[in-house]
Amino acid sequence: GWKDAINTTIINFNNEKMQITWATRELFPSENMSFFYTFDEGKHKVWKPCTTYLLDRDHNSGCLFKTEGPTLAISIRNSNGSEELFSKKFKSDFYIKPNRPENVTFFWKEDTVTVSCNKPERAARCLRLELQYKSKFDEQWQSRASKCCSVGEQGFDPRKCYSFRVRLGRLVPYCNVVNYSSDWEAETFWMNGTLLDSCDDDITSQSNTVIVLSCSLALLLMMLILLILLCKSQRVQLSVLPAIPDPKYLFADLFNDHNGNLQEWLDKNDHVVLQTKPEYEEPESITEAESQQEDGKNSEKQGPLEKTFTSSASDENNEGKAAESACLIPASNTMASFAGFHILRNDDMYVML
């Protein structure tokens, strides 16, 4: 009964190499098994000993050897090979595990992807190509399978990044008694027909886009705030420090026709009356100056306008200089008339021409 209890695992790697493993340590913990095999089908079989053992804690647990035919017989014996503990005969072709698919290509057309690989030289009719994929939002793989060696699927979202992997599998029970498939081909990452290093690149690109948009909006907002502050500051500046009008627009003929020569302009404009006050007066002459100012006002009402200059110096030779000084340094509370405009000036004001 214990002979039937020995479990064996048989794998034929692409019909090139056989791997037989067994579990006898629990049944024979103190004895190390030996293994023999043959591909002969006649009565005169030649048993070959295993040359490459697989070890499990220093005990023989399997054997690797070359595939030499469709029919295989195995024999598990005691350590010196004198007693057979287990034997089995089977078709090695029913335990084939295919190799990985070779030269895998992806063809994208809109939301449809077609995956294909090279067709194996032997037993291609027993193989199926399996495709698995998932997006970064999926927890489980989605599977599609088709006969060797092309499989297609549609409905892919161009805004998502997908992971793909493919493998070859043997048909059961027509070609294999065990459902063996190849190892998965290296996983690839695609987004809208573009191959990526990983789906993290998609997340990074989206994060970079969000960062760029955020920075742009922040910059526009700052520029808008600066413009508002600039407008407000100009209003405040105008209210605190009002702009001084340029006299050249009020007295255009003074600058255009007389090149800024005030005396020449005054001489050719008899309608302009300048009333000036001496730069300095003795305290005792203030009453006399006030009486003269009142007489001047009375005479102004009665007669036509005259060009008068009042000065503290009585020297006739200095009359021109006194008039020029009176224009540059106006007296306190003096009324000046220019081209029909009347300006009241005091000691705190000055006019630069």
Side-chain angles (χ1 to χ4, degrees):
W2 54 265
K3 290 185 178 181
D4 297 334
I6 297 179
N7 294 324
T8 58
T9 302
I10 305 168
I11 302 176
N12 184 359
F13 291 102
N14 200 42
N15 210 24
E16 297 173 357
K17 183 177 290 186
M18 299 294 302
Q19 175 182 292
I20 311 296
T21 58
W22 56 85
T24 58
R25 183 165 183 170
E26 292 76 9
L27 299 175
F28 307 98
S30 60
E31 191 167 2
N32 205 358
M33 301 293 105
S34 60
F35 180 83
F36 296 83
Y37 68 95
T38 181
F39 287 93
D40 296 334
E41 299 183 13
K43 294 181 179 180
H44 304 285
K45 298 178 182 179
V46 178
W47 293 93
K48 297 180 180 180
C50 179
T51 57
T52 306
Y53 279 101
L54 303 177
L55 301 179
D56 179 17
R57 289 174 290 180
D58 298 331
H59 280 69
N60 296 335
S61 62
C63 181
L64 282 175
F65 52 96
K66 183 180 179 181
T67 303
E68 298 176 358
T71 303
L72 175 63
I74 62 174
S75 175
I76 299 176
R77 305 175 185 180
N78 58 3
S79 57
N80 58 17
S82 60
E83 182 182 0
E84 185 178 81
L85 304 178
F86 177 81
S87 63
K88 184 175 182 178
K89 184 179 180 180
F90 53 89
K91 290 289 186 178
S92 61
D93 293 345
F94 287 169
Y95 295 87
I96 292 179
K97 179 177 180 178
N99 289 339
R100 293 178 178 178
E102 297 179 353
N103 193 23
V104 179
T105 58
F106 290 79
F107 176 74
W108 288 78
K109 184 177 181 181
E110 297 179 354
D111 65 338
T112 303
V113 60
T114 303
V115 184
S116 59
C117 67
N118 288 348
K119 188 174 182 180
E121 296 179 359
R122 295 182 296 179
R125 60 181 181 82
C126 290
L127 297 175
R128 291 176 63 85
L129 181 64
E130 181 181 2
L131 168 68
Q132 285 192 348
Y133 63 91
K134 68 176 180 179
S135 70
K136 60 184 178 180
F137 303 104
D138 299 328
E139 296 181 357
Q140 297 181 348
W141 291 94
Q142 305 292 325
S143 296
R144 294 292 182 271
S146 181
K147 64 180 181 179
C148 187
C149 292
S150 178
V151 58
E153 181 62 11
Q154 60 183 5
F156 291 97
D157 191 341
R159 298 168 298 179
K160 294 181 180 180
C161 178
Y162 292 90
S163 304
F164 291 91
R165 62 182 185 180
V166 293
R167 67 180 179 181
L168 290 172
R170 292 273 292 187
L171 293 175
V172 177
Y174 307 104
C175 299
N176 260 35
V177 295
V178 182
N179 188 14
Y180 282 151
S181 298
S182 70
D183 296 332
W184 291 104
E185 181 62 18
E187 187 174 349
T188 56
F189 306 91
W190 296 81
M191 180 177 179
N192 195 22
T194 302
L195 180 64
L196 304 176
D197 293 335
S198 69
C199 283
D200 295 336
D201 296 342
D202 177 38
I203 299 174
T204 303
S205 62
Q206 291 182 356
S207 301
N208 292 337
T209 303
V210 172
I211 292 174
V212 171
L213 291 177
S214 301
C215 292
S216 301
L217 291 176
L219 182 61
L220 292 176
L221 183 60
M222 290 178 62
M223 293 178 62
L224 180 60
I225 294 175
L226 289 176
L227 289 175
I228 294 174
L229 293 177
L230 182 60
C231 293
K232 288 187 175 181
S233 64
Q234 289 181 351
R235 292 181 181 178
V236 172
Q237 184 178 2
L238 290 176
S239 62
V240 176
L241 299 174
I244 300 174
D246 193 342
K248 70 180 180 180
Y249 298 107
L250 297 177
F251 308 101
D253 55 344
L254 172 63
F255 295 94
N256 296 334
D257 301 338
H258 303 286
N259 197 22
N261 191 330
L262 179 62
Q263 187 63 46
E264 181 181 343
W265 179 74
L266 291 175
D267 293 340
K268 292 185 179 182
N269 292 274
D270 296 336
H271 63 280
V272 177
V273 178
L274 296 177
Q275 296 181 351
T276 62
K277 187 178 180 180
E279 179 180 358
Y280 177 78
E281 293 183 353
E282 294 294 332
E284 55 269 14
S285 64
I286 294 177
T287 304
E288 181 180 357
E290 290 179 353
S291 62
Q292 291 178 0
Q293 185 176 0
E294 291 179 358
D295 295 337
K297 290 181 180 180
N298 294 332
S299 62
E300 182 180 359
K301 293 179 181 180
Q302 294 175 0
L305 293 175
E306 295 180 353
K307 184 188 304 181
T308 61
F309 297 90
T310 303
S311 174
S312 61
S314 59
D315 192 355
E316 294 180 357
N317 296 330
N318 298 329
E319 183 178 357
K321 294 183 179 180
E324 184 177 356
S325 299
C327 292
L328 296 177
I329 306 177
S332 175
N333 296 329
T334 303
M335 178 72 69
S337 299
F338 293 94
F341 292 93
H342 302 282
I343 304 174
L344 180 62
R345 300 173 296 178
N346 53 34
D347 292 339
D348 298 329
M349 298 179 60
Y350 67 92
V351 176
M352 181 180 292
L353 297 176

